[in-house]
Amino acid sequence: MILDSLTLLQFKNYPEASFQFVPGINCFTGNNGVGKTNILDAIYYLSFCKGFSNAADTQNILFEKDFFLIQGHYRTANGKDELYCGVKRGQKKVFKRNKKEYGRLSDHIGLYPLVLIYPGDVQLIHGGSDERRKFVDGVISQYNKEYLYQLIDYNKALLQRNSLLKIFAEKRYFDETSLEIWDEQLIAKGNYINEERKQFFNNFREVFRNDYRLLSNGAEDVDLIYESAISENDFGTLLKEARKKDLMLQHTSAGIHKDNLAFLLSGQPLKKFGSQGQQKTYVIALKLAQFRFMRDLKGFAPVLLFDDIFDKLDPNRVELLLKTVSNSQFGQVFITDTHKERLESILEKMPVLCRLFHIDAEKAMNLKDLGHTESVS
């Protein structure tokens, strides 16, 4: 799967822009604030129907404009595809594949798999358990559509159960039958989600540990543990045992929405005992493992995005990482970086065709091909 071209209209700080990409490594350099990350965000939109940097679509519309458009042309094993995303203030988002609009956006997720590595990934370590669950759900949802649907239904049932608990508290009464209706929904959906998560970790854990050893030259031993109360206990029993607590708290305190991941370094919590470099290497290894895991399941390489992740990495580690992703198994890669000269010197040594876009404050772009440049496709 290759993204050949990208067109932006009134998206973030781009009044209008078009890009032609190579199948290997595509890089965007320039000072902070020129819009490098915005290009990656547009590519992310084409895979997930939303951006990774802003929750509200309308916040991505160019200042004082009424709409934005993103259009991408892909090459896949089945031919050529055109993806279109349009957002207009006060109207429903429009997302089309080959000029046909989706009835529900969730049907698109997973068709054009993508892995993003960016500075915000540090929240996987320092943020709450919801950040780690979001990572797990994002991986599984890209290859298992049923999981995504079950997760959506679980969250709807959870919202309804929590609303009912608030009503009980406000009106000072309790209706067990009404609560059990939502308990049954949570149990059915939650048990399915739990089993899929366990199966995922059984396969993912060793892939991740191998990628960490590769990036650290085997310097440390790491591990990844899935923690879930319903893996060891009956979900229905947990809900009943937590009922008094839930009535007092006015929200549901047991379920797969409380699952967590334990990140370990030499058997100790990474957050507490890992250095900044070790934590960054851990997160990059997680994302590379996500890439390999999805590639093996899909049978083709996802698009890989690196957004400004080379800060605080020494040049040797940067070069090792780029050599790793220049392997033919990695497919198409997109990178942003502020250090044009450093990146250019590394790309010249790469065994694949690399295209470097240097962007200035006026959005003018200089383009240069590096690496293996015998042919451009």
Side-chain angles (χ1 to χ4, degrees), residues 225-238:
I225 306 298
Y226 172 46
E227 300 175 333
S228 176
I230 73 171
S231 292
E232 306 296 332
N233 303 276
D234 177 73
F235 193 5
T237 301
L238 289 175

Side-chain angles (χ1 to χ4, degrees), residues 113-343:
L114 177 149
V115 174
L116 166 71
I117 306 177
Y118 79 123
D121 288 331
V122 71
Q123 288 303 310
L124 287 170
I125 298 172
H126 297 286
S129 60
D130 58 319
E131 294 287 344
R132 293 178 283 279
R133 287 193 302 274
K134 191 186 302 181
F135 167 71
V136 176
D137 293 336
V139 178
I140 301 177
S141 295
Q142 285 198 76
Y143 68 82
N144 184 341
K145 196 63 65 71
E146 181 60 25
Y147 179 90
L148 176 60
Y149 297 148
Q150 294 273 357
L151 184 64
I152 291 171
D153 288 344
Y154 179 92
N155 287 329
K156 288 179 180 177
L158 179 65
L159 183 64
Q160 292 295 330
R161 189 180 193 271
N162 288 342
S163 296
L164 191 59
L165 290 169
K166 288 184 175 66
I167 291 172
F168 290 159
E170 291 169 359
K171 298 188 176 181
R172 298 177 181 273
Y173 84 102
F174 174 67
D175 182 354
E176 184 177 20
T177 301
S178 297
L179 193 66
E180 286 181 344
I181 291 173
W182 298 114
D183 285 1
E184 291 172 3
Q185 290 288 315
L186 289 182
I187 292 167
K189 308 301 179 185
N191 283 333
Y192 173 87
I193 292 167
N194 177 255
E195 287 301 316
E196 291 300 314
R197 286 178 178 175
K198 286 194 294 186
Q199 183 176 342
F200 163 71
F201 276 102
N202 286 340
N203 298 315
F204 181 81
R205 180 169 168 261
E206 199 54 40
V207 178
F208 158 70
R209 297 181 74 188
N210 287 336
D211 272 318
Y212 189 93
R213 282 192 287 266
L214 177 67
L215 292 177
S216 65
N217 290 319
E220 301 103 10
D221 180 52
V222 295
D223 211 343
L224 177 67
I225 306 298
Y226 172 46
E227 300 175 333
S228 176
I230 73 171
S231 292
E232 306 296 332
N233 303 276
D234 177 73
F235 193 5
T237 301
L238 289 175
L239 286 172
K240 287 181 180 179
E241 290 176 346
R243 185 168 289 175
K244 288 184 179 180
K245 179 181 178 182
D246 291 352
L247 288 167
M248 181 181 66
L249 295 174
Q250 299 177 39
H251 65 78
T252 306
S253 61
I256 57 97
H257 59 288
K258 296 295 183 180
D259 292 355
N260 198 7
L261 302 182
F263 296 160
L264 303 178
L265 178 71
S266 300
Q268 301 298 320
L270 176 71
K271 180 178 178 180
K272 185 175 181 180
F273 293 95
S275 67
Q276 191 175 39
Q278 288 169 327
Q279 291 181 4
K280 192 159 194 174
T281 301
Y282 194 103
V283 169
I284 293 174
L286 270 178
K287 292 303 191 78
L288 291 182
Q290 174 189 353
F291 176 93
R292 295 183 197 273
F293 186 83
M294 290 173 54
R295 179 198 63 203
D296 292 345
L297 281 171
K298 291 283 188 179
F300 61 91
V303 170
L304 183 59
L305 309 183
F306 289 100
D307 181 35
D308 195 26
I309 67 160
F310 299 143
D311 184 41
K312 297 183 177 68
L313 289 180
D314 64 77
N316 290 334
R317 187 63 60 89
V318 172
E319 186 167 351
L320 175 62
L321 183 56
L322 287 177
K323 283 182 177 177
T324 300
V325 300
S326 68
N327 186 294
S328 60
Q329 294 180 347
F330 271 88
Q332 195 174 29
V333 181
F334 294 86
I335 296 169
T336 67
D337 192 23
T338 54
H339 300 284
K340 177 177 179 289
E341 290 75 18
R342 177 185 66 178
L343 194 58

